[in-house]
Amino acid sequence: MNIDIAGLPSERIVFETSPLAELGLALHALSEPGHHPGLHGWATATGSALEPDLADRLHEAEFLWRNTFSDVFMPFAGVRGGDGRTGATLAEDLDTLDRLDDERFVASALEFTCASLYGIGAPSPLSDPGMRARALDMAAARGPRQVEFTQQLLADPAPVRRWVRRLFEDCDEAFFADTWRRVQVQLVADARHKKDLLRRKGVGEALGAVSAALSLDESGSRISVDKMTEGSTTATDPSIGAGLTLIPSSFGWPHLMVLHAPGWRPVIHYPVHRPELPSPASVELLQLRMEALAHPLRMRLCRNLARSPYTTGELADSHSITAPEVSRHLSVLKKAGLVTTRRRGRYVLHQLDLTVVARLGSDFLEGVLR
């Protein structure tokens, strides 16, 4: 995924905190605790304390944050003529959400029905019969709650918008106000630190501090985001207020999300780094490791190398193949970072890196969730 920033002044790249965006990820963590094992205690305690009415309403609307993360949580990026600034409080963010026009609100709320068209600027289902039929058809494939929500939203967005705002306000009263007070200090400090890095050392250093999954090309004109999804956007479109916003999150890991809808200000929503969290493996490296292990002979070699160090000759004898053939397979495993090598006298010993292999499942899950 790429973001074009060619010619964008560094002062147009801003770090902000957003209560509404954080609420969205908190709701996601409640509905998908398996994605966030580090938040299991919070999710269990918060979920068990919810009043039944609020819990039921959250269940009704969870498709806004469970499988897709709706852009309604980042309305500051979509208000026409807006400045891309977030609110200091949830109420201010919700006021910005109220300023989002109906077409953009509806398109964002129905992302779960047209996610495959997200990056191409599809027509609004409010005005386009084809998109309306598609939205209803895709909602029907997901369940009766989604159908009812879609029908009501397309018939008259205003009552649904009021219902959504009230839902978020009730979440604030029930649990999020306390949660936000707890995490806000860390998020504000992180945003301030990244702003300082941007000012003193430039865009590349600031992006590197945000996530190892972000990189700036040599020309300084394009940001690459190491995700399994494809997409591109620009931060230099003057019609939507050129700029890029980066928002830290305490609830986000392992997700690194990029708002790249056409006509919206690009947003990178990133998890605040914590020492106990592993650095993400690149998608390319993950693919390299999985391909290296997919070969049946290399799998058998790994069985030996997991138990003790072996020389190339010993592996050749064990598997009745030539030493050069073993060397070729070892080269693939070493390139993928799965095998370590050390010398003992005149012998070169190879061994499987058990720590790296043990992380493969987690790396894969974090990669697909990123």
Side-chain angles (χ1 to χ4, degrees):
M1 181 174 292
N2 301 309
I3 303 173
D4 176 24
I5 60 168
L8 185 71
S10 60
E11 59 268 21
R12 301 292 297 178
I13 299 175
V14 298
F15 289 86
E16 298 268 330
T17 60
S18 168
L20 182 55
E22 193 71 349
L23 172 59
L25 279 174
L27 292 172
H28 171 72
L30 278 176
S31 61
E32 284 286 8
H35 291 189
H36 308 272
L39 297 172
H40 179 74
W42 175 88
T44 300
T46 302
S48 61
L50 291 176
E51 293 291 338
D53 174 68
L54 179 56
D56 288 344
R57 285 186 288 146
L58 288 176
H59 182 66
E60 288 179 34
E62 68 175 3
F63 46 83
L64 292 175
W65 54 77
R66 182 166 191 163
N67 301 318
T68 58
F69 188 76
S70 171
D71 288 343
V72 299
F73 291 105
M74 292 183 277
F76 64 88
V79 172
R80 301 181 196 274
D83 59 5
R85 311 301 291 195
T86 62
T89 65
L90 181 64
E92 290 181 11
D93 269 351
L94 292 176
D95 289 344
T96 303
L97 180 60
D98 287 343
R99 290 168 51 208
L100 204 63
D101 63 47
D102 280 348
E103 284 198 351
R104 293 197 167 192
F105 181 91
V106 169
S108 299
L110 295 181
E111 280 173 29
F112 72 94
T113 69
C114 55
S116 62
L117 303 176
Y118 177 86
I120 65 173
S124 169
L126 283 178
S127 55
D128 184 271
M131 285 301 299
R132 182 185 185 90
R134 175 189 170 87
L136 290 168
D137 185 55
M138 295 299 290
R142 284 160 174 78
R145 288 185 293 110
Q146 289 89 329
V147 171
E148 183 179 2
F149 179 87
T150 302
Q151 289 173 336
Q152 291 177 351
L153 189 61
L154 292 176
D156 186 0
V160 179
R161 296 184 66 155
R162 290 192 295 270
W163 184 86
V164 168
R165 174 164 183 148
R166 178 61 186 272
L167 176 64
F168 294 160
E169 289 172 338
D170 288 348
C171 287
D172 194 46
E173 182 178 345
F175 67 89
F176 186 70
D178 290 337
T179 299
W180 179 248
R181 277 192 291 269
R182 177 172 55 83
V183 303
Q184 183 183 18
V185 174
Q186 180 193 31
L187 299 184
V188 169
D190 184 88
R192 186 184 301 119
H193 172 62
K194 300 300 191 299
K195 288 177 187 176
D196 187 54
L197 273 179
L198 177 65
R199 178 181 57 81
R200 291 187 297 106
K201 297 189 176 182
V203 178
E205 288 284 340
L207 292 175
V210 166
S211 172
L214 299 179
S215 60
L216 186 66
D217 70 356
E218 291 183 359
S219 68
S221 62
R222 186 180 66 181
I223 297 171
S224 295
V225 187
D226 189 35
K227 288 172 66 73
M228 291 188 182
T229 53
E230 297 290 334
S232 62
T233 187
T234 178
T236 62
D237 185 351
S239 67
I240 56 173
L244 169 67
T245 300
L246 295 98
I247 299 179
S249 169
S250 287
F251 285 86
W253 189 88
H255 307 305
L256 175 70
M257 294 180 291
V258 181
L259 189 163
H260 63 285
W264 288 57
R265 180 187 180 96
V267 179
I268 298 175
H269 199 184
Y270 66 92
V272 171
H273 177 70
R274 299 200 304 270
E276 70 272 20
L277 298 179
S279 296
S282 71
V283 172
E284 181 182 6
L285 180 58
L286 177 61
Q287 182 177 347
L288 196 65
R289 287 175 175 170
M290 296 179 74
E291 289 174 350
L293 292 172
H295 194 285
L297 180 53
R298 288 197 285 272
M299 287 281 285
R300 292 200 296 272
L301 291 174
C302 286
R303 184 177 183 274
N304 296 92
L305 297 171
R307 286 165 169 76
S308 66
Y310 278 78
T311 67
T312 301
E314 288 172 331
L315 290 170
D317 290 342
S318 295
H319 295 276
S320 301
I321 58 177
T322 66
E325 188 174 357
V326 170
S327 294
R328 286 195 295 271
H329 287 296
L330 287 175
S331 177
V332 174
L333 292 169
K334 284 189 282 188
K335 185 177 180 182
L338 297 168
V339 167
T340 60
T341 299
R342 61 186 174 88
R343 181 174 290 277
R344 189 175 66 197
R346 65 189 182 90
Y347 297 102
V348 176
L349 299 170
H350 311 283
Q351 191 165 20
L352 195 67
D353 190 327
L354 297 181
T355 302
V356 170
V357 175
R359 282 262 335 142
L360 271 176
S362 298
D363 285 342
F364 174 74
L365 185 59
E366 289 158 19
V368 297
L369 292 178
R370 188 186 308 156

